[in-house]
Structure formats: C-alpha cells, structure tokens
Amino acid sequence: KISNIQEALSSMLKQLLKTQTFVNTSKFIYNNGIKSTTTNNTSFLNYQNFTVTQNNNNNIGNHFYKSSKKPVNPPHNSEIFLSGTNINALESLYENWTQDKNSVDSSWNNIFEGIDKNIPPGELTSLPPRKSSFSNQGVALGAGENPQDILNVFKLIRSYRVLGHFKADLDPLKLYKNTSSFSKINSEYLRDLDYKTYGFTEADLEREFFVGEELGGNKPVRKLKDIIGQLETIYCDKIGIQYMHVHNPNKKKWIKENYESSTTLYSYNKEQKAKIYKDVARGELFEKFFDIKFSSSKRFGLNGGESLIPGLEALIEEAANSGVESIVFGMPHRGRLNVMCNIVGKPLEKVINEFEANPEIELEYNEVLGSGDVKYHLGTSADRVVNGKTVHMSLTANPSHLEAVNPVVEGKTRAKQELDTGVPDFNKAMSVLIHGDAAFAGQGIVGETLELSGLEDFTTGGTVHIIVNNQIGFTTVPRYARSSTYPSEIAKANGSPVYHVNGDDPEAVNHAFVSAMKFRQKFNQDVIIDIYCYRRYGHNEIDEPRFTQPVMYKAIDNHPTLLKVYEKKLIEEGSFTQEELDEIKAEVKAKLDESFEKRGQETSLKTDWLESNWHGYSREDGEIEKTGVNSDLILKLSNNLLNFPEELVIHRNLIKRFKKQRKMISDGEYDWALGEALAYASLLNEGFGVRLSGQDCERGTFSHRHSVIHCQNKPDLVYQPLENVSPTQGHWNVINSSLSEAAVLGFEHGYSLEDPKHLVIWEAQFGDFANGAQVIIDQFISSGEQKWLRMSGLVMFLPHGYEGQGPEHSSGRPERFLQLIDENVDEFPEDINEQAANINFQVVNCSTPANIFHVLRRQIHRNYRKPLVVFTPKWLLNLHECRSPISDFEEGTKFKRIIPETETVKMVEDNDVKRVVLCTGKVYYDITKDRNTRYKEKKIDIAVIRVEEIAPFPFDLVKEQLERYPNADVCWVQEEPRNLGYYFYVQPCIKTASGRDAKYIGRDPSAAPATGLSSVHKQQLKEFLDNTFNF
C-alpha cells in the first residue's frame, strides 16, 4: 500500500528505458534520443522555453538548453515517466490540473508546478512530496503493482473521450458498420478503445486502479471493468459526443463533467416518457396522414427522422425555461411541413388548403402580388406558450438551395436581439438551423456562416445546428458525398461540440437536444446535433430509391418505424401498457382529423403579411417622399461629422482631407463622402438605425468614407463621428466584415427582414464581387417578396465604373440585376407611385452626392420597403465636378430620377438640338468633358440627359424630356460592352416612353466585362466618344 503515487513512479524507470517516438504538444515537447554509448535509445522531456540540440559528441547524448544556451542538468531517471506513450495521459492530467488543482492527485502538484516554474530537468522530483487527498482512503495497488498501469488507465480514459463516438451505436440501420459504401469509420480508430492495447488482460478487469476524481463521483479507486463500463455508457451508447477538439478548456471541462458525473446519462419518469411518445406520434402520424390524404403529392416528409420532433420540443422547453423569447428556425424542405405545424404552430388546416389548391388563397396571393411557392419552401410564424411562457416561433422561407437560408436566419435573429436598444441580448432570441447531412458537408455557405458565429457584429450568441442525417444525399452515399468521417466535421474548426445521436432512440435524442441547449445558453457558442436516421422513401414520396440504393432500402423495408420501436421499448420495460399508448395515439389522430374537417374555413394570409414589426407599412401608400432637410440642421450635422476629440491624434493625410471638407461646407458644396455621411447622420438624428457592413467599409475600399478614425499613437482609441450625432440618435454600426459575400449579404438581408426602421446596407469591395452571393440575390432579394410575401429594404452598394482596372474591378454587372426586374418594359405605367410600389427591387446609378443622399433617405421614409441596388462610383469620389450645392439637400428637394441637360445657357434652341444622349452614372462626366473640348467656341447641339434611376424606369420623365427635342435623334451611351450594362433593358423602355428608337453607342460586345490593358481601355473610350459626337 502507498499513499503517494509519486513514490511509485521511480519504479517505472527500467520499463520505460526503450526507444520511443512522440508527438509535440503544448506543454510536453519531445524529441527522439540520439544514439549514445549505452545500449538504450531514450527520449526525455523538453519543457516549454527549452530547446533540444544535438551535441556533436554522440557519447554525450541529449542536453537541454535555455535561450542563453547554458547547459542544465539532463532529466533525472525518476522523471523518465514524463515521456513516451504516457503523453496522452499526462496531457489529460495536466489539462485538468490547470483548471482545478484538486481534480488530480496532489502528488502531481510537484511535477506540474515545477514545469510551470521552469524548474530544470532532474530537479522536479526533489521537490517535497505532498500527500494525496485520498490517502486516508488507502489506495491499494497490490503487491508488486506497476504504476505504469495507472497511467495506462488514464490513457484509456482519454481515448474514450477522444474516440468513443466512433464506437457509439448511432445508426438505426447498422449500415455504417456493415457496408463500406456508408461507413466512414476506420476500424483502426477503435484500437485505442480496447483495454488490451494497453497491456491489460481479461484478468485485469477485476483489478482496482486509482482514478481520483477523473470520472466524477467520490470513488477514487475503481475496478477496471467498472471504469470501462462507465466509459462505454457515457461515450459509446446511443450518443457519441465529440468535444476534445473544443478550444476553450472551461467549455471542455463543463461537457466532461456533465457527461461523466453519473454512471447513466439520462433517465425519464413516466410523465416525461409519455410526452416523448406523444411527440413521436405527432411526428409520425402527421406523415401518415398526408400519405393517405395526398398520396400523389410531393411533400418531402420526415419519415425516418421523426425523432426531430420530440428533440425540438425538448429544446424549446429548455429555451423557454432559460428565458428565450423568440426562436428563428431555418431548414431545408425535408420535414419542413412537419416542423411548420407541430413545432412552429401553423394551423394544419392552412397546410391542407394549400395542398387542395384553394382558389381563395390563389386570389389573395394575386391581390398582394405574390406568386406563391411550393408548400415545402414557405415560412410561417406563431406564438407558443411553453410552461406558461410565450415564445415566438418563426420559420424562415427557404428555396431549394438548401443551406442558403443559414445566414438569413442569423441576420434575422441578430435584428431581434438588437431591436429597440441596438445592443444584442443573446437570451432574447436564438437561431435553430436544421440541415441535411450531404448539404452540411457540401455547401460552402455553411462554413461561411459558421465563421460569422464568433464575430462581434454578427454573432447571435450561439446557434443550435441540427443535422438530420439520412446517410444519403439524393442518391449519393456518404463515401462519395464527403471526405470527412461525419458530415459535421467542418463545425470543429470553430470549436463547436458535436452530439451524434441514434435517431431511433427518442430519449437519447431528447437528452442530446437539452444538453446542446444548455451549452448554448451557458457559453453562447454554436453547438451541433447529428441525428443518425434514414429516409424511408426516396428523395420525395414518389421517387424510387431502390434504383441506386438496393441494400439500404432493403434494410429500411425491414426496419420498424420509430413509433413501433419506442412503443416496444416502453412496453417491454413496463413503463406503459399497450392500451395506454393506443390512447395517446388516438388523441393525436383525432386532432389531425379535426383539422381536416376545418379545411377551407381559414384562408387568410394576414398572419404571413406585414405583421409584427411591419405593422402599419403598406404598398398602397406609394407617394414618393420629399427627403430634404432643414438647412440649419444640415450645417449642424455636417460640422459634427468633422468635430473630433482633442486627444485623438489623426493621420496627417486625413487632417488635410477634413480641412478640405470643412472648406467645402463653408463654400456650400458637398462631395460624395459628405453627401453619403449626411444621409446617415440625418436618419440617425431622426431615430432610425443605420447598419453598414462589408469588406473594408469602415474606411471604404477607395478611402472615401473614414467612418472610423484611428488614433495614431493609441491603437485602441478610435472615434466614430456618426456615433455622436445626438443624445437621442438611432443606433449606428459600421462593420468590416469577414471576406465573405454570400454569408454576409444573406445576414444583412435577414436583418432587413426583421427591422424596417433600420437602413441596412451591404457594400461589395468591388461591384463584380457580388457574383459570389448570386444565390442570395436570385433566391431571396429579387424574388422573396413575390414568393413569400416578405418585404426587405436592403441596400446593396456595388462600386462600378470603367477606369482601366481590368475585368474583375470594373463592372458591378448591372445587366444581371436588370434581367431580374419584373417591370413590363412594353407598358407605359399609369401611376408612377404604383409603379414604384409594385416593382420587385430598384436599381440606381447616382451621379451626384445629393442624389445618393436622397435615395438613401427615401429608402427609409417610404411607407413600404424595396431592395435597392446602388452602383456607386470610384473615380467620382474625388472628382471636383461631382459635387452638389447645399440647396440640393434642403427642404423641398427629393431624389431626381433623371437629371436633364444642365448647360442650358450654352445650348442651341431645343428644336435645333441634333442628338439627345441618354446615359447613367460616371460616363456622363466623360461625355461632358469631351463635349466641352469639342464645343469651346460654338453653341452645343447635343443634349445629355442622365437617367439616375434605371428601375423602375422613369417612363414619364424620359417622355417629357424627349418631347423637348423633337428633331434630334436619340442614343444610349454606356461605357459597358453592348451585351452588358443597361442597353437591352432601357432600349425597349425608351421606345415605350417616346415611340423613338435609341441607338447604341458604347464598347463592342465582349465576354470579359473590361480590358486589362490601360492603352486598350483609353482607345475604347476615345472610340465611343467619337461615335457620340461624330454623326
């Protein structure tokens, strides 16, 4: 018997003096020993801040050196146990010790304290030993016991923590263990979970070993078989948890203690089991109901994954109990209808109406200009009372682009968390994202969204991700669908724990969901639940999966449904009788039948249109607001923008810039940066919020904005003028985002869906980078209102302009956006306000600072919301000619949809004008500069009209302007190639407005948006300007 483990460690010397190879870790750094005159090749511990160098004299062996290169004593023989294959056990012990010194036997304090204090090798064991806190319990090792075995036990424990999930019973169909196409688990993974790997025999199972508090409880000494039994229960039953990759030691410790504190993971009483069974019945009988009533309709049912329903119920209950007020769901089409009705709370009769193609619903969709969408893409929202607490549920509409909804949900959730205060309350709202296994592993936007989860201005305080793991993607099995073992592997990159769980055990599923929710609430970090289940039918109910998966579907055909599996378990364990369970099922069936009888009675879409924060908004009031501001307020806000604290040391170049802007203000003129900033300041002053995000948008890609001023001698000191507009101002937030287009744009779109009183802007670094977010643009921004009856006031800033910067830095691709516009170009609108209210989104290319000021203010002051695409300038940002007088910002002014010819004094009479040039954006300045050169000594007979708003097209104003010049020909001039840009959209619009054809002038058609050669760029510009004036 011994009371101090340290005393026994020296007996390990002879057994450990042999050749070994090690891996580097954070605290224990190893190096292979070099050949010496002895017969043993040894490895020694190299402490942090020490480096091992090889002496040229091989007879000396390894020596340890600090940075001073002064030699210190080599490791003492009693310290050899700190090397070799003990590395995993030692790391585990050390990790526990750093978190709680009482969590390991006190004899280790000497070793670990010495390492932390850089005690030289050979002196660690000379520190005075401390008695174990368990010494009074008499730790019995047995005669001739080998302390190496104790370390091997710790290594075995660590192996279960790291690898136990590989051995867990996860797959209801047992495919991943028996069929190579489905298995991604190498049998070698399990070798370290075999006690024989560590030199133990079957006889050792009855031996007792010291484990201290390593497995929780108050039994520091346990039999090996009991240790293994507990580890098997915790890590290898129906739940397999991955958490040893978690970066934060406190989070890792919390998970470990929660899982290892008991010999059983979970237990439920009869009432709880009845609730779980009822939730399983609700999920399964819902699908059977539609199987019978609408057998020929596709619905992408949850069949095979019904345990999602009791799991979500458990999560919602835990969320409500911890104070969550709102949950935003995002999910693909599989199981969507089930979740929509059973979890979110959409009345089943409404879904039945949609299946029966109720003509009243179709009529109402037409009245609100909605095209509708297939049932399994729609969203909904409702309030649910959970344990006496009201929780608002919303399911975000999602297209078939499975994971595209992820950032939209996150943005929507963040807006809910910041509503009214501007400060996120992570307990107020949360996100739940449901994924398919193939999509979670395969879709890039998953990783982009996960990367947002830890960023200050994008985090939602932890999202619960649920993978409904059908073990197949359409017809592709895991072996060909991903490189990783699990579909969840990408989430390990940001330290999210993963709960793998067998979907045929609803009690295990409940426990995983509750554990995940508790983790989210405690640490405000993402967490993953991977439900191993299956897809009872094919990709949809009328698809034949046996063409490509005969083995899988033979197993499914022979596999009982979840309801039968759980029913059998409850009866066999004596928890319920068959009669009791039948009564629960009958109650669920009765509710389904009742809803079917109610069909047709409820058809209104009111709950899906302009409710909650959108109450009071309406497209019927389409008046275009006057957006000017009082001149005194303009001057006050302008000067505030250039008023900085005395302690702020500003970069010398910015000092010059701000001095120049002060002179502009005193002269009564504004450049683009001032006009834009004044728009924000005026809205903030009125109490509206402004959120601007994108890559480098704090400064601006082209260094025009400088909304965050960095102190030059205090790196942590920054100043934001727009945070200091007034004491009662709205919330201002400018954000340099991650290098993502799709996720960040999706996030901002989601934010705009929730809060109509926030001006939400996403700025691309260059306009053409928006194509990295094309799915968000196509599926949500351009068509979301029509498909799903959801307004958005999102603004997209797309820097655009041809200045010789090459194919990828010139064009914001206006042709793509104009192709998405739903305006009828062959019909002259009777009412321009109605025209603006009914279009799907707006496209502008402003040529003056005043117009960007007005269009941004109009975006908030209208009584409805439309997405707005702004092709912002680059060259014009510093162009002296591109300035606006203060009068253009004052009360009574508004956004100019077109700007007529301004050189009226130098012009010939209107009837004598030979050509009318219609254009938009920066090319106006190219045209007028060239015109001024050509018409120095004579009257100008070419009128240039700027079309500032491309969509909705200003038919009325173009008609009015062209009627002024009855004898002139009409042309459209653009700097983009003919097949790109605006021409193919505006040409029929001009024809409809005036009855006159507009000739094209611009660059020739091109596959690439622009040339990369400066000389070619200049030649092309000269050619189309010559064509403009030579006719």
Side-chain angles (χ1 to χ4, degrees), residues 46-53 63-67 69:
N46 178 19
Y47 304 113
Q48 195 174 34
N49 299 325
F50 285 79
T51 57
V52 177
T53 62
H63 285 269
F64 290 77
Y65 293 88
K66 289 187 178 179
S67 57
K69 302 300 182 183

mmCIF file of all heavy atoms in Angstrom, residues 46-53 63-67 69:
data_model
loop_
_atom_site.group_PDB
_atom_site.id
_atom_site.type_symbol
_atom_site.label_atom_id
_atom_site.label_comp_id
_atom_site.label_asym_id
_atom_site.label_seq_id
_atom_site.Cartn_x
_atom_site.Cartn_y
_atom_site.Cartn_z
ATOM 1 N N ASN A 46 11.237 17.815 -22.741
ATOM 2 C CA ASN A 46 11.806 19.134 -23.004
ATOM 3 C C ASN A 46 10.756 20.157 -22.611
ATOM 4 O O ASN A 46 9.713 20.250 -23.226
ATOM 5 C CB ASN A 46 12.143 19.264 -24.495
ATOM 6 C CG ASN A 46 12.689 20.631 -24.834
ATOM 7 O OD1 ASN A 46 13.136 21.346 -23.953
ATOM 8 N ND2 ASN A 46 12.637 20.989 -26.100
ATOM 9 N N TYR A 47 10.982 20.903 -21.575
ATOM 10 C CA TYR A 47 9.986 21.826 -21.066
ATOM 11 C C TYR A 47 9.823 23.020 -21.986
ATOM 12 O O TYR A 47 10.682 23.351 -22.784
ATOM 13 C CB TYR A 47 10.384 22.309 -19.667
ATOM 14 C CG TYR A 47 10.604 21.171 -18.708
ATOM 15 C CD1 TYR A 47 11.875 20.921 -18.207
ATOM 16 C CD2 TYR A 47 9.558 20.337 -18.368
ATOM 17 C CE1 TYR A 47 12.086 19.872 -17.347
ATOM 18 C CE2 TYR A 47 9.767 19.291 -17.510
ATOM 19 C CZ TYR A 47 11.028 19.053 -16.999
ATOM 20 O OH TYR A 47 11.229 18.012 -16.156
ATOM 21 N N GLN A 48 8.672 23.703 -21.807
ATOM 22 C CA GLN A 48 8.433 24.917 -22.570
ATOM 23 C C GLN A 48 9.561 25.910 -22.308
ATOM 24 O O GLN A 48 10.056 26.024 -21.194
ATOM 25 C CB GLN A 48 7.099 25.537 -22.142
ATOM 26 C CG GLN A 48 6.582 26.575 -23.104
ATOM 27 C CD GLN A 48 5.194 27.039 -22.699
ATOM 28 O OE1 GLN A 48 4.906 27.104 -21.523
ATOM 29 N NE2 GLN A 48 4.371 27.350 -23.671
ATOM 30 N N ASN A 49 9.955 26.630 -23.365
ATOM 31 C CA ASN A 49 11.066 27.586 -23.342
ATOM 32 C C ASN A 49 12.436 26.901 -23.381
ATOM 33 O O ASN A 49 13.452 27.554 -23.263
ATOM 34 C CB ASN A 49 11.006 28.513 -22.109
ATOM 35 C CG ASN A 49 9.739 29.320 -22.094
ATOM 36 O OD1 ASN A 49 9.256 29.695 -23.153
ATOM 37 N ND2 ASN A 49 9.197 29.573 -20.909
ATOM 38 N N PHE A 50 12.490 25.556 -23.469
ATOM 39 C CA PHE A 50 13.753 24.849 -23.655
ATOM 40 C C PHE A 50 13.788 24.342 -25.091
ATOM 41 O O PHE A 50 12.777 24.037 -25.689
ATOM 42 C CB PHE A 50 13.860 23.649 -22.709
ATOM 43 C CG PHE A 50 14.149 24.046 -21.278
ATOM 44 C CD1 PHE A 50 13.149 24.506 -20.459
ATOM 45 C CD2 PHE A 50 15.435 23.954 -20.773
ATOM 46 C CE1 PHE A 50 13.407 24.854 -19.151
ATOM 47 C CE2 PHE A 50 15.697 24.300 -19.461
ATOM 48 C CZ PHE A 50 14.687 24.759 -18.648
ATOM 49 N N THR A 51 14.975 24.225 -25.635
ATOM 50 C CA THR A 51 15.124 23.597 -26.939
ATOM 51 C C THR A 51 16.152 22.490 -26.824
ATOM 52 O O THR A 51 17.116 22.589 -26.062
ATOM 53 C CB THR A 51 15.603 24.613 -27.995
ATOM 54 O OG1 THR A 51 16.821 25.185 -27.560
ATOM 55 C CG2 THR A 51 14.562 25.703 -28.202
ATOM 56 N N VAL A 52 15.926 21.433 -27.580
ATOM 57 C CA VAL A 52 16.862 20.308 -27.560
ATOM 58 C C VAL A 52 17.832 20.466 -28.719
ATOM 59 O O VAL A 52 17.421 20.657 -29.861
ATOM 60 C CB VAL A 52 16.103 18.976 -27.690
ATOM 61 C CG1 VAL A 52 17.083 17.829 -27.735
ATOM 62 C CG2 VAL A 52 15.162 18.813 -26.514
ATOM 63 N N THR A 53 19.092 20.385 -28.440
ATOM 64 C CA THR A 53 20.087 20.440 -29.508
ATOM 65 C C THR A 53 20.956 19.194 -29.429
ATOM 66 O O THR A 53 21.157 18.608 -28.371
ATOM 67 C CB THR A 53 20.985 21.683 -29.374
ATOM 68 O OG1 THR A 53 21.694 21.617 -28.157
ATOM 69 C CG2 THR A 53 20.145 22.952 -29.399
ATOM 70 N N HIS A 63 21.153 17.069 -24.432
ATOM 71 C CA HIS A 63 21.274 18.062 -23.374
ATOM 72 C C HIS A 63 20.175 19.100 -23.572
ATOM 73 O O HIS A 63 19.646 19.278 -24.666
ATOM 74 C CB HIS A 63 22.653 18.740 -23.417
ATOM 75 C CG HIS A 63 23.747 17.864 -22.897
ATOM 76 N ND1 HIS A 63 24.130 17.851 -21.587
ATOM 77 C CD2 HIS A 63 24.529 16.936 -23.528
ATOM 78 C CE1 HIS A 63 25.114 16.972 -21.412
ATOM 79 N NE2 HIS A 63 25.365 16.413 -22.582
ATOM 80 N N PHE A 64 19.824 19.796 -22.509
ATOM 81 C CA PHE A 64 18.775 20.804 -22.557
ATOM 82 C C PHE A 64 19.399 22.182 -22.457
ATOM 83 O O PHE A 64 20.300 22.407 -21.658
ATOM 84 C CB PHE A 64 17.788 20.608 -21.394
ATOM 85 C CG PHE A 64 16.956 19.373 -21.556
ATOM 86 C CD1 PHE A 64 17.512 18.127 -21.291
ATOM 87 C CD2 PHE A 64 15.660 19.452 -21.974
ATOM 88 C CE1 PHE A 64 16.749 16.990 -21.441
ATOM 89 C CE2 PHE A 64 14.906 18.316 -22.115
ATOM 90 C CZ PHE A 64 15.448 17.079 -21.843
ATOM 91 N N TYR A 65 18.910 23.092 -23.255
ATOM 92 C CA TYR A 65 19.464 24.451 -23.253
ATOM 93 C C TYR A 65 18.325 25.462 -23.187
ATOM 94 O O TYR A 65 17.297 25.308 -23.848
ATOM 95 C CB TYR A 65 20.266 24.712 -24.540
ATOM 96 C CG TYR A 65 21.511 23.877 -24.645
ATOM 97 C CD1 TYR A 65 21.474 22.617 -25.224
ATOM 98 C CD2 TYR A 65 22.725 24.353 -24.142
ATOM 99 C CE1 TYR A 65 22.605 21.849 -25.316
ATOM 100 C CE2 TYR A 65 23.866 23.581 -24.241
ATOM 101 C CZ TYR A 65 23.802 22.333 -24.822
ATOM 102 O OH TYR A 65 24.925 21.569 -24.916
ATOM 103 N N LYS A 66 18.487 26.493 -22.394
ATOM 104 C CA LYS A 66 17.611 27.641 -22.469
ATOM 105 C C LYS A 66 18.097 28.515 -23.620
ATOM 106 O O LYS A 66 19.067 28.199 -24.286
ATOM 107 C CB LYS A 66 17.642 28.426 -21.156
ATOM 108 C CG LYS A 66 16.956 27.704 -19.991
ATOM 109 C CD LYS A 66 16.873 28.615 -18.788
ATOM 110 C CE LYS A 66 16.157 27.913 -17.647
ATOM 111 N NZ LYS A 66 16.068 28.768 -16.450
ATOM 112 N N SER A 67 17.386 29.652 -23.808
ATOM 113 C CA SER A 67 17.783 30.526 -24.909
ATOM 114 C C SER A 67 19.213 31.045 -24.722
ATOM 115 O O SER A 67 19.864 31.451 -25.673
ATOM 116 C CB SER A 67 16.809 31.702 -25.011
ATOM 117 O OG SER A 67 16.767 32.397 -23.768
ATOM 118 N N LYS A 69 21.632 29.299 -24.049
ATOM 119 C CA LYS A 69 22.483 28.190 -24.491
ATOM 120 C C LYS A 69 23.340 27.632 -23.353
ATOM 121 O O LYS A 69 24.273 26.888 -23.604
ATOM 122 C CB LYS A 69 23.405 28.616 -25.650
ATOM 123 C CG LYS A 69 22.654 29.131 -26.870
ATOM 124 C CD LYS A 69 21.719 28.093 -27.466
ATOM 125 C CE LYS A 69 21.035 28.607 -28.702
ATOM 126 N NZ LYS A 69 20.076 27.645 -29.239
#
